Amino acid sequence: QVQLVESGGGLVQPGGSLRLSCTASGSISAIYNMAWFRQAPGNQRELVASISAGGSTNYADSVKGRFTISRDNAKNTVYLQMNSLKPEDTAIYYCNQYLRTGGASRDYWGQGTQVTVSS
């Protein structure tokens, strides 16, 4: 059974930084796309950043230049470095990995980690 475990959320002041991590465990034969989504109260879940198996990245306009997504394939881990955080970045952040286990490929989600940006 595949599990995604996130860490790194918390409370930070505006202008501060946080680094989120998400590690997949289980019988995994390949990981394709990795991504971070977020959902603020009253809002729909939105894509923050994604990274392909080949390392190509994509960012939401609201985080370009402030957030960096990266991956360590040997550790089945995706990271999100968040700098210059703003109050509007406050949300629950969810990790997503599209991976192959057994004979099938599908999306898996982490449990979510709270990020709060406030003075």
Side-chain angles (χ1 to χ4, degrees):
Q1 185 174 354
V2 174
Q3 286 189 321
L4 269 59
V5 178
E6 303 168 6
S7 61
L11 173 64
V12 63
Q13 293 187 341
S17 298
L18 284 174
R19 188 192 195 207
L20 306 183
S21 300
C22 171
T23 299
S25 62
S27 181
I28 299 167
S29 55
I31 302 179
Y32 305 111
N33 204 59
M34 296 178 168
W36 289 94
F37 288 73
R38 67 185 180 187
Q39 187 167 19
N43 291 356
Q44 290 187 334
R45 190 173 297 190
E46 63 174 357
L47 176 67
V48 176
S50 65
I51 183 167
S52 70
S56 297
T57 58
N58 180 55
Y59 295 94
D61 287 343
S62 59
V63 307
K64 282 181 181 177
R66 299 188 298 122
F67 291 10
T68 302
I69 189 170
S70 61
R71 61 191 287 167
D72 184 334
N73 293 326
K75 296 181 180 180
N76 293 343
T77 298
V78 60
Y79 304 98
L80 186 68
Q81 178 66 45
M82 305 185 293
N83 298 329
S84 303
L85 282 160
K86 304 176 180 179
E88 51 263 43
D89 294 317
T90 296
I92 299 174
Y93 283 70
Y94 297 92
C95 166
N96 170 273
Q97 296 191 22
Y98 185 75
L99 58 84
R100 185 173 185 86
T101 178
S105 299
R106 50 157 281 195
D107 279 311
Y108 287 84
W109 292 88
Q111 79 283 2
T113 186
Q114 178 70 47
V115 171
T116 302
V117 184
S118 175
S119 55

